[in-house]
């Protein structure tokens, strides 16, 4: 292209002009290379190869698969499905019959926060003791997702729901007794009006002792009467959220102590923080108007179970961590019709691509397939995607414990320049920390160069 | 270009030049320096757990007296034990940096042990000292290879070995000890060429005990350097005797036969029969079949002398690399006996370059563990920010497409190289100065006189 440029007036001769242009061209190329290296994006996949299919599941309404996403810039999802090779009369020829693929964040499955298992109350954890008016407890943490909108903790009210004794179920509808509160396995059903021995409360459910000695849980709302509570808590529990870097107060959430259930999860909700991805925060808990004997308490682990933060007592660092989990506003990263995906006859995979979205690095995501006009037949494997979580099917709660056969595609930024600079610093550090190594290298390199110089001189002198 | 045209310089000379031309001397010097500087730059910067584990076992031997606790690769382990004994005083405060689990087969070094090693204050020094034997082995092998070819080709032969990416990667980046065994193989050829057949055989046997590759050329050695068939059988018997002697000695000392341990527990043994063709309800392993056919064909040809051994040996090594699944460090074995043939035909150099490129692509199959992760001494967190080549490849093409294609091309190029080597040999291209395929009554002596 340069050769076709007209000669520049005022520059004598073309030779110098071409030389300068080459120099400028070289400089521009170097600059371009530096910019490319600084912001280049690398294509990446979630897994190196799709796992072998075990069988298929039929999606009538929806099926989904959570997975751990290590990279940023999600730009596609590959799913192994069966596509029809013929269509019924009146059926629109389409790959999936109007199915939709959706990708969302899945923060509540992220195992990196201290509250890892909703149903587990391990004995290694303890209660903080009453949160009185003048006491401030807290925790620092790293938010791994955008849209932070609450903090869930475990609270105890010291028996403010009811005391152990006898309760009576409402008349009419039978009450379901479950092994664990809310979603535990069904143990039995009791007719309305039955009188029962009740023990403690958990998650707003009452522990009951059945006539045959078995234990289970019944929703407190199913009771017409329960023994009176052992105490009534007063005041408000206040959660304040601060940015860790500058201490700015960002959000505040208040709950009446009297509204809290014994041994239950409680979420302090607030307006979502859209830019909370990988931001560090501190939250504090105080109890306005709480007196001894009428205050609640929160659960904590005396040992360090959360490496990305620490517990606070009166703003000072304390041992262990509160048992907590941040909550996030639901955000759909991608929603795309599967009929527009590309079918690969080679791998039997539907590949849905879209503009790179994010942030998706170091997150748990969920891919959901919603069926359209006809069911979608999706392959599953005993090898689950990264993260090790099982698939879920809205049609079949007893779906196989494997994972959907899927892969995710990314266009992730590679900070090549900063990595290369860091590696160079690392290289220099190896020698800086070990002067003897530097001396030895200097001696060997100098000696080698001297030897080469001597050989060359010998060669020249022989050559005359 | 025909083989004869390609080898015109050799034919024109008729005999080996008495000395290297001055330009060649300068080139040799430049090659030595360039290779050395590249190696010096890489030695403290890269690390693989294999290197750490063999020295951790050496630490077990030297510190706790467990000299024969590792029965898998006993010879190579003993060499490392002795070297570790020498360098340990040069590594201050190193008592706690070694793995306690490296000697337990199936367990190996744990991540926290590797991390502890990477945090060692004198990490650069440790890595340089740990790789120093491999540097020396590479240098000696290069030097010996220059004596296996005509003087006019020494610079080229040296460059093809000393600057070869496969050699640098295996010894200096990956930090594998195969170069020690390669040195034994090349030294054995050099000794045999000078008429020292028995010391050569001893070295080859030791090399085979260290890594199994040289064992495949033992029959070729015994035949190529025989004075008579009776002597060839005797050499073969001696080799088996050395093997059995070492095996029985270790059996007596440690209570376990290294041979049986290797055959019974070493996972890489199955590589030799991995590629099989279904014959009815049986499987016919391809590598043993191809190796046996090559050996029988080679035995049928006039096969005395170094050229015959180098041709048969290079073809055997290439066959092994082409027809069995291999770990990244194995490919080094394709190089040493091939180098003397590469120098005589440019097309072979191009094919070898293609082999190197295909190998570099094939490395993506193993991902970061054999590429970026090797640079962990410069910053583990930084290296982890680089994209895993395995995942990059998967994002571009399905693994079931690119992997068979690349592996197939690699095997094809490798087998083509083996075939060309045999064609050159049978065409009578002299490598080492003797008439390669011509039967002689005393080939080693003749070769020396020829040069």
């Amino acid at each position: 292209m340069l050769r076709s440029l007209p000669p520049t007036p005022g520059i004598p001769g073309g030779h110098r002009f071409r030389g300068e242009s080459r120099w400028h061209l070289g400089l521009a190329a170097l600059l371009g290379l530096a910019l490319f290296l600084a912001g280049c994006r690398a294509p990446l996949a979630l897994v190196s190869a799709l796992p072998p299919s075990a069988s298929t599941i039929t999606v009538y309404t929806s099926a989904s698969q959570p997975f751990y996403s290590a990279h940023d810039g999600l730009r596609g999802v590959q799913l192994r499905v069966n596509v029809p090779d013929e269509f019924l009369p009146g059926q629109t020829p389409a790959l999936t019959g109007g199915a939709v693929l959706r990708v969302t964040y899945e923060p509540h499955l992220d195992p990196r926060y201290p509250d890892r298992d909703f149903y587990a109350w391990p004995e290694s954890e303890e209660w903080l003791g009453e949160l009185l008016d003048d006491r401030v407890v807290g925790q620092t943490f790293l938010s791994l997702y955008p849209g932070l909108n609450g903090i869930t903790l475990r609270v105890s009210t010291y028996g403010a729901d009811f005391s152990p004794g006898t309760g009576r179920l409402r008349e009419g509808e039978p009450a379901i007794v479950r092994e664990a509160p809310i979603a535990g396995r069904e143990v039995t059903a009791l007719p309305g009006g039955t009188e029962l021995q009740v023990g403690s409360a958990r998650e707003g459910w009452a522990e009951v002792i059945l006539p045959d000695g078995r234990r289970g849980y019944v929703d407190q709302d199913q009771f017409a009467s329960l023994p009176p509570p052992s105490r009534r808590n007063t005041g408000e529990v206040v959660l304040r959220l601060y940015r860790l870097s500058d201490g700015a107060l960002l959000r505040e959430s208040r709950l009446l102590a009297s509204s809290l259930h014994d041994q239950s999860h409680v979420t302090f909700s607030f307006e979502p923080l859209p830019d909370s991805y990988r931001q560090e925060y501190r939250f504090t808990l105080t109890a306005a108007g709480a007196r001894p004997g009428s205050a609640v308490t929160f659960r904590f682990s005396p040992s360090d179970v959360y490496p990305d933060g620490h517990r606070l007592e009166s703003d000072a660092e304390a041992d262990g961590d509160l048992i907590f989990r941040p909550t996030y506003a639901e955000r759909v990263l991608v929603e795309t019709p599967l009929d527009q995906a590309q079918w690969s006859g080679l791998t039997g995979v539907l590949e849905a691509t879209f503009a790179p979205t994010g942030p998706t690095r170091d997150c748990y995501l969920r891919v959901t397939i919603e069926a359209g006009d006809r069911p979608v037949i999706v392959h599953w494997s005993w090898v689950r995607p990264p993260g090790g979580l099982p698939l879920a099917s809205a049609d079949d709660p007893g779906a196989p414990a494997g994972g959907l056969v899927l892969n995710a595609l990314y266009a992730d930024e590679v900070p090549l320049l900063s990595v290369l600079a860091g590696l160079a610093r690392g290289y220099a550090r190896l020698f800086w920390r070990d002067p003897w190594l530097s001396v030895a290298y200097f001696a060997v390199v100098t000696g080698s160069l001297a030897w080469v110089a001597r050989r060359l001189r010998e060669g020249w002198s022989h050559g005359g | 270009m025909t083989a004869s045209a390609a080898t015109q310089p050799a034919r024109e000379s008729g005999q080996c030049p008495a000395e290297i031309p001055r330009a060649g001397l300068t080139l040799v010097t430049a090659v030595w320096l360039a290779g050395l500087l590249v190696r010096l730059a890489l030695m403290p910067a890269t690390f693989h757990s294999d290197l750490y584990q063999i020295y951790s076992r050496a630490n077990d031997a030297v510190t706790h007296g467990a000299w024969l606790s590792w029965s898998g690769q006993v010879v190579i382990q003993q060499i490392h034990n002795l070297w570790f004994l020498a360098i340990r005083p040069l590594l201050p405060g190193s008592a706690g940096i070694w793995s306690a689990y490296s000697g337990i087969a199936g367990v190996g070094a744990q991540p926290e042990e590797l991390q502890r090693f990477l945090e060692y204050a004198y990490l650069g020094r440790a890595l340089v000292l740990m790789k120093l034997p491999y540097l020396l082995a590479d240098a000696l092998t290069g030097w010996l290879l220059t004596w296996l070819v005509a003087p006019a080709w020494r610079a080229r032969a040296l460059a093809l070995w000393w600057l070869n990416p496969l050699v640098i990667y295996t010894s200096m980046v990956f930090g594998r000890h195969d170069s020690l065994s390669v040195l034994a193989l090349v030294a054995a050829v050099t000794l045999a060429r000078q008429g020292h057949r028995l010391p050569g055989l001893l070295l080859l046997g030791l090399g085979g005990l260290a890594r199994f590759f040289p064992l495949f050329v033992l029959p070729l050695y015994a035949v190529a350097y025989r004075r008579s068939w009776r002597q060839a059988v005797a050499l073969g018997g001696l080799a088996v005797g050395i093997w059995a002697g070492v095996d029985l000695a270790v059996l007596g000392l440690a209570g376990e036969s290294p041979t049986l341990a290797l055959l019974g527990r070493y996972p890489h043994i199955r590589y030799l029969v991995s590629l099989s063709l279904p014959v009815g309800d049986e499987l016919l392993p391809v590598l043993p079949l191809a190796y046996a056919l090559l050996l029988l064909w080679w035995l049928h040809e006039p096969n005395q002398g170094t050229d015959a051994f180098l041709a048969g040996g290079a073809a055997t090594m290439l066959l092994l690399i082409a027809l069995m699944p291999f770990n990244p460090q194995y490919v080094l074995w394709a190089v040493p006996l091939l180098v003397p043939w590469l120098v005589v035909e440019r097309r072979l150099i191009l094919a070898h370059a293609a082999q190197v490129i295909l190998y570099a692509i094939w490395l993506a199959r193993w991902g970061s563990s054999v590429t970026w992760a090797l640079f962990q001494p410069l910053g583990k967190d930084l290296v982890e920010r680089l994209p895993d080549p395995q995942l990059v490849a998967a994002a571009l093409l399905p693994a079931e497409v690119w992997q068979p294609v690349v592996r197939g091309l690699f095997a094809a190029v490798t087998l083509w190289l083996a075939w060309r080597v045999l064609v050159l040999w049978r065409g009578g291209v002299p490598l080492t100065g003797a008439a390669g395929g011509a039967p002689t009554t005393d080939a080693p002596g003749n070769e020396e006189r020829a040069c």
Side-chain angles (χ1 to χ4, degrees):
Chain A
M1 188 180 77
L2 281 174
R3 284 183 184 170
S4 64
L5 287 173
T8 309
I11 298 178
H15 185 71
R16 190 178 158 199
F17 167 74
R18 279 198 296 273
E20 283 185 1
S21 294
R22 282 200 197 102
W23 189 81
H24 288 143
L25 192 66
L27 193 68
L30 272 179
L31 194 65
L33 181 68
L35 286 171
F36 172 74
L37 290 175
C40 84
R41 280 175 175 262
L44 280 167
L46 177 69
V47 290
S48 60
L50 287 172
S53 300
S55 186
T56 57
I57 58 166
T58 304
V59 182
Y60 295 98
T61 52
S62 74
S64 66
Q65 175 65 56
F67 66 95
Y68 173 73
S69 167
H71 311 291
D72 209 0
L74 182 73
R75 65 166 183 88
V77 173
Q78 296 177 332
L79 269 173
R80 183 165 285 155
V81 299
N82 287 355
V83 294
D85 47 14
E86 58 184 27
F87 297 91
L88 297 172
Q91 217 172 27
T92 311
L95 286 168
T96 62
V100 171
L101 180 138
R102 188 181 304 123
V103 183
T104 49
Y105 288 112
E106 197 59 272
H108 76 271
L109 291 178
D110 197 317
R112 288 170 287 183
Y113 291 109
D115 195 346
R116 294 184 175 93
D117 184 349
F118 184 87
Y119 291 103
W121 294 78
E123 289 182 2
S124 59
E125 295 171 1
E126 298 173 9
W127 297 105
L128 283 171
E130 284 187 313
L131 184 65
L132 301 174
D133 207 357
D134 54 350
R135 188 178 177 191
V136 182
V137 297
Q139 174 79 35
T140 62
F141 71 100
L142 172 69
S143 169
L144 296 168
Y145 298 85
L148 178 69
N149 73 345
I151 305 287
T152 298
L153 294 128
R154 293 187 180 205
V155 67
S156 171
T157 61
Y158 296 102
D161 287 30
F162 55 85
S163 305
T166 305
R168 191 166 58 82
L169 295 172
R170 289 177 191 275
E171 297 291 341
E173 286 288 305
I176 306 294
V177 182
R178 297 186 182 276
E179 269 187 351
I182 304 172
R185 195 171 62 87
E186 192 175 315
V187 176
T188 186
L190 296 171
T194 306
E195 287 203 342
L196 285 165
Q197 284 293 312
V198 293
S200 58
R202 180 164 288 180
E203 308 288 4
W205 287 50
E207 185 193 28
V208 297
I209 302 158
L210 299 174
D212 60 5
R214 287 183 297 166
R215 288 170 187 263
Y217 287 88
V218 175
D219 190 344
Q220 285 182 38
D221 291 343
Q222 298 280 322
F223 283 87
S225 67
L226 281 164
S230 58
R231 66 196 261 169
R232 293 195 186 280
N233 295 318
T234 57
E236 278 186 324
V237 184
V238 184
L239 181 141
R240 293 190 178 91
L241 182 78
Y242 302 89
R243 192 158 45 224
L244 192 60
S245 56
D246 59 3
L249 175 64
L250 300 173
R251 297 288 188 270
E252 185 177 293
S253 175
R254 292 168 176 265
L255 288 172
L256 286 172
S258 58
S259 69
L260 303 179
H261 284 294
D262 201 10
Q263 297 191 86
S264 66
H265 287 76
V266 57
T267 299
F268 291 86
S269 301
F270 42 76
E271 277 295 300
L273 289 162
D275 55 353
S276 62
Y277 175 69
R278 298 207 72 80
Q279 297 296 313
E280 287 185 301
Y281 299 101
R282 170 173 65 98
F283 69 80
T284 60
L285 289 162
T286 53
R291 297 183 306 276
S294 67
V296 298
T297 185
F298 292 91
R299 203 160 174 84
F300 82 111
S301 166
S303 57
D304 184 14
V305 292
Y306 178 62
D308 290 335
H310 52 261
R311 188 168 72 87
L312 301 166
E313 190 77 45
S314 303
D315 282 343
E317 195 173 323
D319 286 342
D321 295 291
L322 287 179
I323 304 301
F324 78 100
R325 169 176 288 278
T327 63
Y328 295 87
E330 190 176 326
R331 183 174 149 193
V332 176
L333 279 164
V334 176
E335 187 165 291
T336 182
L338 266 179
D339 285 343
Q340 289 177 13
Q342 289 209 318
W343 168 251
S344 164
L346 176 77
T347 53
V349 156
L350 262 185
E351 181 176 308
T353 52
F354 33 82
T357 184
T360 56
R361 185 195 304 281
D362 198 24
C363 289
Y364 279 78
L365 305 178
R366 182 182 287 276
V367 170
T368 303
I369 303 126
E370 275 190 5
D373 302 337
R374 61 165 194 268
V376 184
I377 298 168
V378 188
H379 287 242
W380 65 273
S381 169
W382 286 117
V383 182
R384 296 173 181 172
L389 295 163
L391 68 91
S393 167
D395 308 309
D396 179 11
L404 292 182
V405 179
L406 65 79
N407 205 349
L409 304 175
Y410 301 87
D412 198 1
E413 280 188 6
V414 183
L416 264 186
L417 273 187
S418 67
V419 170
L420 290 174
L423 293 177
R425 281 196 299 275
Y427 199 82
R429 197 167 50 242
L430 287 176
F431 287 92
W432 181 256
R433 290 197 310 195
D434 190 353
W436 281 110
L437 181 68
S438 309
V439 169
Y441 259 61
F442 181 76
V444 170
V445 172
T446 311
S448 303
L449 289 173
W451 174 69
V452 169
R454 190 177 152 205
R455 292 287 294 258
L456 290 176
R457 202 168 52 241
E458 282 172 5
W460 288 331
S461 62
H462 281 293
Chain B
M1 189 171 65
T2 62
S4 59
T7 57
Q8 199 59 31
R11 291 180 179 283
E12 280 171 1
S13 65
Q15 60 178 14
C16 304
E19 61 179 39
I20 309 175
R22 272 189 295 278
L25 199 68
T26 308
L27 195 58
V28 167
T29 310
V31 169
W32 276 122
L33 182 69
L36 180 67
L37 292 180
V38 169
R39 281 168 170 80
L40 286 175
L42 289 169
M43 281 170 87
T46 64
F47 154 83
H48 188 268
S49 57
D50 279 8
L51 179 73
Y52 175 64
Q53 294 200 115
I54 199 163
Y55 277 101
S56 289
R57 293 195 291 268
N59 177 61
D60 283 345
V62 172
T63 310
H64 309 298
W67 284 81
L68 290 167
S69 64
W70 187 252
S71 58
Q73 300 173 41
V74 69
V75 171
I76 203 72
Q77 186 61 57
Q78 296 308 320
I79 294 169
H80 284 83
N81 294 354
L82 293 171
W83 177 245
F84 182 75
L85 198 60
I87 64 171
R88 193 173 57 156
L90 301 174
L91 299 172
S94 64
I97 64 171
W98 306 108
S99 164
Y101 297 99
S102 291
I104 304 172
V107 179
Q110 298 301 295
E112 59 272 19
E113 293 175 327
L114 293 165
Q115 188 56 38
R116 201 168 58 223
F117 177 73
L118 288 171
E119 288 165 3
Y120 178 48
Y122 302 98
L123 177 63
R125 187 194 305 192
L127 289 169
V128 168
L129 290 172
M130 288 156 79
K131 293 178 186 173
L132 194 56
Y134 314 151
L135 170 75
L136 297 174
D138 278 354
L140 277 170
T141 303
W143 182 70
L144 292 175
L145 282 172
T146 62
W147 292 97
L148 281 181
V149 297
W153 294 333
R154 281 181 183 167
R156 190 183 286 188
L158 181 67
L160 285 166
W161 171 261
W162 186 239
L163 297 180
N164 195 308
L166 298 180
V167 179
I168 293 171
Y169 172 79
T170 308
S171 300
M172 294 295 110
V173 181
F174 206 94
R176 276 292 296 198
H177 51 70
D178 288 57
S179 52
L180 296 172
S181 191
V182 166
L183 171 63
L185 169 65
V186 177
V189 181
T190 311
L191 283 172
R193 189 171 169 239
Q194 291 172 346
H196 308 299
R197 298 176 180 82
L198 282 178
L201 184 70
L202 189 69
L203 261 181
L204 197 60
L206 277 174
L209 284 170
R211 301 292 293 143
F212 65 88
F213 287 89
L215 298 178
F216 288 88
V217 297
L218 257 177
L220 307 175
Y221 183 94
V223 172
Y225 293 110
R226 72 184 188 275
R227 287 185 201 278
S228 63
W229 279 107
R230 187 184 299 168
Q231 193 193 45
V233 173
L235 281 172
L238 186 67
V240 173
I242 292 170
W243 178 279
V246 173
D247 196 76
L248 288 173
V250 176
L251 178 65
L253 289 167
E256 186 171 31
S257 155
T259 309
L260 293 180
L262 273 172
L263 292 174
R265 292 203 292 269
Y266 199 53
H268 301 169
I269 290 293
R270 71 167 184 272
Y271 290 176
L272 301 174
V273 292
S274 288
L275 179 62
S276 298
L277 298 172
V279 183
D281 57 352
E282 294 176 2
L283 287 175
L284 180 66
V286 174
L287 179 60
L289 175 75
Y291 173 65
L293 283 175
L294 172 68
L295 193 60
L296 290 170
W297 175 82
W298 185 87
L299 286 170
H300 187 258
E301 297 294 310
N303 50 30
Q304 269 185 295
T306 297
D307 286 4
F309 176 77
L310 288 177
T316 301
M317 293 301 172
L318 291 164
L319 205 66
L320 286 169
I321 297 304
L323 297 182
M324 73 172 187
F326 59 88
N327 288 333
Q329 68 275 14
Y330 286 9
V331 81
L332 172 73
W333 287 95
V335 184
L337 300 183
L338 180 64
V339 164
W341 299 99
L342 292 180
V343 297
V344 300
E345 191 174 283
R346 285 178 194 275
R347 278 191 298 180
L348 293 191
I349 296 177
L350 286 176
H352 184 57
Q355 206 183 17
V356 172
I357 291 166
L358 288 164
Y359 172 74
I361 300 170
W362 186 240
L363 281 182
R365 178 177 181 271
W366 290 284
S368 288
S369 63
V370 299
T371 50
W372 315 133
L374 297 175
F375 289 86
Q376 284 184 70
L378 303 183
K380 190 167 182 275
D381 295 343
L382 288 165
V383 168
E384 284 171 354
R385 287 164 66 186
L386 292 169
D388 188 328
Q390 196 179 28
L391 299 180
V392 172
L396 297 172
L397 275 174
E400 53 263 57
V401 172
W402 79 263
Q403 288 191 7
V405 168
V406 173
R407 186 63 174 92
L409 288 174
F410 179 82
V413 172
T414 305
L415 289 174
W416 184 84
L417 279 166
W419 173 73
R420 279 304 300 169
V421 164
L422 295 174
V423 167
L424 285 174
W425 169 55
R426 290 310 304 128
V429 173
L431 280 188
T432 54
T440 59
T441 52
D442 195 350
N446 283 351
E447 286 176 40
E448 281 311 292
R449 282 193 290 277
C451 268

